[in-house]
Amino acid sequence: MQTADETTALTRQIADLKRERDALILAHNYQRPEVQDIADHTGDSLELSRIAAGASQGVIVFCGVQFMAETAATLCPDKTVLLPVRDAGCPLADRATAEQVRQMKARHPEARVVAYVNTSAEVKAESDLCCTSANALDVVRSVDPQRPILFVSDRNLGHYAGRMAGRRVLLWDGSCPIHAALSTADIRQSKRDHPEARVMAHPECQPDVLELVDRVAGTAGMLAYAAQQAPHTSFIVGTDIGLIHRLKKENPDKAFYPATDYLVCPTMKLTTLADVRRSLERMEHVVRLEEPVRVRAGLALEAMLAVPSTP
Ligand code: 13P
């Protein structure tokens, strides 16, 4: 556990190094509170990809997991993208390999491949389009309705987007172990504990869980919902507890309760302030992608960024 003085010292050192290196620090909404607090931008996968794509700094420190840093490196070939903890992976992204996607494409040659952003650059390179939890519906709706969609890597998000958009979606056998573990019993219990609260859940949760909640949204959608739901002032949060820091900061007069105690993504919590400082000091760990993979993954990401967002 870090003392307040240590946190202050690390924060100052990071600010100095950031200036020296001409660096931009991005943090995902699931990062530790103190890491979110030193970042230039904290956001969801979609916002952070957009910010990375438009960044003017030469160095991007990505406080998140591997696929997020790879996304930034794909969109910013002329920048140095650093991932402070090399082993910060995503078990959902690990559920799909490029070879598996090639085999599925051979079996379904008529399908358009939509890769959830929680995939490796190699998988994105095999795909037509990417999506995040924030724009999955818009992306699925943008695909030629005559063609089925092969949705890689999250079965629950693919199911939700297909159902909401009324489109035929071939689902991948993969899910986020944290979100998929949230059960209907957990939701019912949290509603009993906080009967006045509105309930939000991430679309990576199971379909029967999503049936029970007031709002299905990614992390940016949850922030917007909590800000706008007057007169409601309390919310049950069906996603990683990291988001609660920002929810409370932006809505100090409202109450937020995790839907269960175990909604904690361990790899999202690996990055500490000391890791961020070391990353800037030593310029590590540089995300490197093979150029043909980067170019093809970039096409799928650019195709996603070109899909207009519905509010
Ligand atoms: P967001 O799309 O809200 O950033 O969520 C990303 C994620 O990894 C969910 O598990």
Side-chain angles (χ1 to χ4, degrees), residues 38-120:
I38 55 98
D40 294 295
H41 300 279
T42 300
D44 75 340
S45 316
L46 183 60
E47 291 167 315
L48 295 179
S49 341
R50 290 211 166 107
I51 292 168
S56 59
Q57 291 83 348
V59 175
I60 297 177
V61 181
F62 211 115
C63 304
V65 290
Q66 284 157 357
F67 76 81
M68 295 180 175
E70 279 190 359
T71 298
T74 303
L75 292 169
C76 312
D78 50 345
K79 300 188 197 307
T80 303
V81 177
L82 304 175
L83 180 66
V85 177
R86 194 193 342 238
D87 295 336
C90 168
L92 172 58
D94 293 343
R95 292 304 298 266
T97 65
E99 179 52 30
Q100 288 167 335
V101 177
R102 281 192 289 273
Q103 286 172 12
M104 286 296 273
K105 287 202 301 191
R107 249 179 273 156
H108 302 281
E110 74 292 4
R112 294 280 284 168
V113 181
V114 173
Y116 189 26
V117 73
N118 299 40
T119 49
S120 66

Side-chain angles (χ1 to χ4, degrees), residues 28 30 44-45 116 118 133 179 202 204 218-219:
H28 188 266
Y30 295 159
D44 75 340
S45 316
Y116 189 26
N118 299 40
S133 64
H179 285 107
H202 197 281
E204 289 177 17
T219 54

Side-chain angles (χ1 to χ4, degrees), residues 203-259:
E204 289 177 17
C205 296
Q206 309 253 23
D208 55 356
V209 165
L210 300 184
E211 291 294 323
L212 297 181
V213 306
D214 300 301
R215 176 75 174 149
V216 177
T219 54
M222 288 187 193
L223 284 157
Y225 183 75
Q228 290 156 8
Q229 282 305 293
H232 298 285
T233 56
S234 59
F235 300 86
I236 293 164
V237 183
T239 195
D240 178 276
I241 55 155
L243 183 66
I244 293 185
H245 175 65
R246 213 179 137 191
L247 283 164
K248 283 185 175 162
K249 215 166 146 177
E250 294 179 12
N251 305 275
D253 48 347
K254 298 182 185 170
F256 298 95
Y257 311 103

